[in-house]
Amino acid sequence: MTGRELSAQSRGLTPPMFFFQFFLVQSDAKTVPIPKYTRNQQGADMKFNADEIASVIQKEIEQYEQKIDVREVGRVLEVGDGIARIYGLSGVMAGEMIEFPNGVMGLAFNLEENSVGAIILGDYLKLQEGNEAKTTGKLLSVPVGEAVLGRVLDPLGNPLDGKGPIVTDTYREVESPAPGIADRQPVRESLATGIKAIDAMTPIGRGQRELIIGDRKTGKTAICIDTIINQKDTGVKCFYVAVGQKDSTVAGIIETLRHYGAMDYTTVIVAGASAPAPLQYIAPYAGCAMAEHLMYNGQHTLAVYDDLSKQATAYRQISLLMRRPPGREAFPGDIFYCHSRLLERSAKLSDKLGGGSLTALPIVETLEGEVSAYIPTNVISITDGQIYLQPDLFFRGQRPAMNVGISVSRVGGSAQIPAMKQVAGGMRLDMAAFRELEAFAQLGTDLDAATQARLDRGYRINELIKQGLCKPMHVIDQVIVIYAGTHGFIDKVPAAEVLRWEGELLSYLHASHKGLWTKLNEKKKLDDELTSELDKVLEEFNRTFV
């Protein structure tokens, strides 16, 4: 008799029964009743029921679940400055999430021969050399859908506004391919900013990418905030991505949006100046993914990236730490691809895909007006036009300080309503000519009467396109005001009184001639009947204006 049989007999079990109990204990299936070997009162062995054994084995087989959790586990070789080098993750994918201890996540960034370089999406101070690093088999994703609207989030989708977690089951990968040529349609639908100078001379359409460029403190963010406020009741969902901004500045922007009721349809993604460089780098992609989800569901969205200069600086930082070869201005060679793969995701989708749109307003900051620097020229070449804000004009009181000569929209009049196209068709060229004439007139040369009249009208129109902060104007109001300016109805109004004239005209029109405004809003076009009626109203108002 073997040692195992002796051991079994010493516990009052026959060898077969011992084997059966041993088998059940080793199984990792769910708990099932185990038939017990019992004795009768006299201590004699009772006969064991074979059917009971068979039924238990059958249940074991049916409830057996084979779950194999296969993960690669590596070790952290070194960590610091927001990056980590890991040994042992030979099968990791580019862009795959890596799990570290203490709940810290990373992103596979460099796939090298002997190690993997990962950027840390969180507090890298919690990690140390020798920590385990596990692959997850997943790419970086963020929560999307209606649940994120009205919230303030970090680039990973974690709430920062104290309103509780984001309740959604829908997630979208941060990096996804841009729509192809066949999936797009031309940009023909207007996205009104509410700013007269932009809607008249450099119009923006749904699905367009319009760069806003200029030195610091020239009103770049103000244009975007006005545009977001103007999307109220239009159905356009807005996503404002703050990259590298001061937290106090972002708090002020959120409060402004909340004051004007714009937070109801706006999501703010914040990677502030104190955020790690990896979070600043992925923030625009996270905002784009959230907007993209709504676009593919047939909705219209607007994404503001404020600003891509700081995102490029963050990308340069982590690339240099990863020892990628530096290029011009120490930026890595793929910095152009970094921005193009973000901005190419903006599109007006074909009707087959639902006709949704994603409009992008990237912001780039220049130094001393240097628009020919590396990052500005890169982004200018990717976008469909740019609005250049000039410091000299800003300090002279021209708000927005748009340089009409350099600013352009490559979509042009196709992104304007017909009425705006009629009244503002030659306005951009006229204003560019006025700037040259103004510079010439400063030499003190005597001008003929026609040139002087042209100069005087230019001064008045220049005053007319000035606009206060957070005061977007309805496009029909813009049409009426610009029509009055370009057709000589303000020629006799002193230049200093033009803005007061504009305000009183609109009040008079809405109070006494609401029918004209309604007809123009319905037709979106100035025909002969509406033109003659508008002329009469303007002449009548000018007689009463003091």
Side-chain angles (χ1 to χ4, degrees):
M1 187 176 289
T2 65
R4 179 176 288 181
E5 289 169 339
L6 283 168
S7 174
Q9 275 195 340
S10 68
R11 288 184 285 129
L13 301 174
T14 59
M17 187 58 211
F18 167 77
F19 172 77
F20 179 61
Q21 282 206 343
F22 179 77
F23 168 75
L24 286 178
V25 169
Q26 294 304 309
S27 170
D28 59 352
K30 296 175 183 174
T31 306
V32 293
I34 299 176
K36 293 183 179 178
Y37 184 85
T38 58
R39 294 173 178 269
N40 59 13
Q41 290 179 351
Q42 286 75 31
D45 289 351
M46 294 178 66
K47 188 176 180 182
F48 197 86
N49 191 345
D51 293 338
E52 197 173 350
I53 296 175
S55 69
V56 170
I57 293 174
Q58 183 68 28
K59 284 182 182 177
E60 286 281 325
I61 294 169
E62 287 174 358
Q63 294 179 6
Y64 179 74
E65 294 179 6
Q66 185 176 3
K67 290 183 179 177
I68 302 175
D69 186 11
V70 179
R71 291 190 186 190
E72 279 193 273
V73 179
R75 293 282 173 188
V76 175
L77 295 175
E78 58 175 339
V79 62
D81 297 321
I83 68 161
R85 293 193 181 279
I86 305 160
Y87 174 77
L89 301 182
S90 58
V92 71
M93 300 181 289
E96 184 178 350
M97 297 294 290
I98 297 172
E99 187 181 338
F100 296 100
N102 302 319
V104 179
M105 300 301 289
L107 195 69
F109 195 68
N110 263 24
L111 305 183
E112 298 168 10
E113 189 174 353
N114 298 319
S115 65
V116 173
I119 55 177
I120 312 300
L121 304 175
D123 187 4
Y124 68 89
L125 297 174
K126 292 180 180 178
L127 304 183
Q128 54 188 359
E129 185 182 335
N131 281 153
E132 278 192 352
K134 302 176 186 176
T135 58
T136 61
K138 298 176 184 175
L139 299 176
L140 179 59
S141 302
V142 289
V144 293
E146 300 289 335
V148 302
L149 293 176
R151 302 300 300 270
V152 181
L153 311 172
D154 72 2
L156 302 177
N158 302 314
L160 301 175
D161 50 10
K163 294 182 180 178
I166 305 296
V167 183
T168 180
D169 296 328
T170 314
Y171 285 77
R172 184 176 179 85
E173 290 175 0
V174 162
E175 298 270 11
S176 60
I181 297 170
D183 297 334
R184 300 171 183 254
Q185 60 176 301
V187 176
R188 293 195 186 94
E189 200 174 347
S190 173
L191 185 133
T193 64
I195 300 169
K196 290 172 284 188
I198 294 174
D199 290 343
M201 293 183 280
T202 55
I204 299 172
R206 291 182 177 178
Q208 189 178 344
R209 300 152 301 178
E210 184 79 2
L211 171 66
I212 298 172
I213 184 170
D215 283 12
R216 64 185 300 274
K217 294 294 179 187
T218 51
K220 301 184 297 297
T221 302
I223 286 177
C224 296
I225 298 306
D226 280 11
T227 305
I228 291 173
I229 292 170
N230 198 54
Q231 303 315 307
K232 194 171 187 177
D233 302 324
T234 63
V236 177
K237 306 296 191 300
C238 303
F239 295 84
Y240 177 79
V241 183
V243 182
Q245 306 292 321
K246 291 182 292 185
D247 287 347
S248 58
T249 304
V250 177
I253 289 168
I254 293 168
E255 191 53 44
T256 302
L257 293 173
R258 188 172 286 120
H259 176 72
Y260 288 96
M263 277 304 290
D264 296 340
Y265 53 87
T266 303
T267 303
V268 179
I269 296 98
V270 183
S274 61
L279 288 182
Q280 293 187 34
Y281 160 59
I282 66 164
Y285 300 103
C288 184
M290 294 177 190
E292 219 172 24
H293 172 78
L294 297 177
M295 174 181 74
Y296 280 106
N297 283 299
Q299 299 190 47
H300 299 288
T301 57
L302 168 69
V304 176
Y305 308 120
D306 189 7
D307 62 67
L308 292 188
S309 304
K310 292 185 177 66
Q311 190 227 8
T313 303
Y315 186 58
R316 174 172 64 184
Q317 177 183 328
I318 56 180
S319 295
L320 291 174
L321 287 167
M322 287 289 185
R323 302 193 181 281
R324 288 187 175 182
R328 180 176 163 187
E329 294 181 22
F331 286 104
D334 62 342
I335 188 67
F336 183 91
Y337 175 59
C338 173
H339 287 150
S340 63
R341 77 174 188 266
L342 169 70
L343 295 171
E344 279 297 308
R345 289 159 71 176
S346 302
K348 177 76 169 78
L349 292 181
S350 63
D351 293 331
K352 186 179 177 182
L353 291 176
S357 68
L358 168 52
T359 309
L361 293 181
I363 295 176
V364 165
E365 186 178 292
T366 55
L367 295 171
E368 299 294 329
E370 188 59 60
V371 292
S372 59
Y374 188 34
I375 299 302
T377 49
N378 273 357
V379 183
I380 284 172
S381 65
I382 298 166
T383 51
D384 306 315
Q386 69 275 348
I387 296 167
Y388 176 58
L389 303 178
Q390 195 169 328
D392 297 346
L393 294 174
F394 185 85
F395 297 131
R396 277 162 49 187
Q398 185 72 34
R399 315 281 169 84
M402 188 172 83
N403 182 317
V404 182
I406 299 177
S407 302
V408 65
S409 172
R410 297 190 182 98
V411 172
S414 57
Q416 290 175 316
I417 64 169
M420 181 62 85
K421 202 186 301 187
Q422 286 174 284
V423 300
M427 189 175 173
R428 185 173 162 274
L429 291 175
D430 290 344
M431 287 305 296
F434 161 71
R435 296 278 182 224
E436 292 180 10
L437 197 59
E438 184 185 24
F440 178 70
Q442 286 176 346
L443 299 174
T445 314
D446 290 335
L447 302 172
D448 60 85
T451 306
Q452 187 62 50
R454 207 170 148 199
L455 196 60
D456 290 343
R457 180 176 289 186
Y459 281 122
R460 285 162 175 79
I461 293 178
N462 197 45
E463 288 293 317
L464 198 66
I465 60 175
K466 287 183 180 178
Q467 203 161 335
L469 189 63
C470 298
K471 293 180 180 175
M473 187 182 287
H474 194 280
V475 67
I476 299 302
D477 290 343
Q478 294 182 40
V479 168
I480 292 168
V481 167
I482 292 169
Y483 176 86
T486 54
H487 286 74
F489 288 97
I490 59 171
D491 288 355
K492 294 181 181 178
V493 179
E497 297 291 324
V498 166
L499 287 178
R500 183 171 72 86
W501 177 92
E502 174 196 272
E504 292 186 16
L505 168 67
L506 293 175
S507 300
Y508 170 76
L509 196 72
H510 285 283
S512 305
H513 297 276
K514 188 68 177 176
L516 170 63
W517 192 94
T518 305
K519 280 191 280 185
L520 188 52
N521 191 36
E522 288 171 355
K523 289 187 177 180
K524 302 272 192 297
K525 189 175 181 181
L526 274 171
D527 54 21
D528 294 338
E529 180 191 343
L530 283 173
T531 303
S532 61
E533 193 176 343
L534 184 56
D535 287 343
K536 287 177 187 175
V537 170
L538 291 169
E539 287 168 5
E540 185 182 315
F541 171 75
N542 274 354
R543 284 195 293 270
T544 61
F545 180 73
V546 178

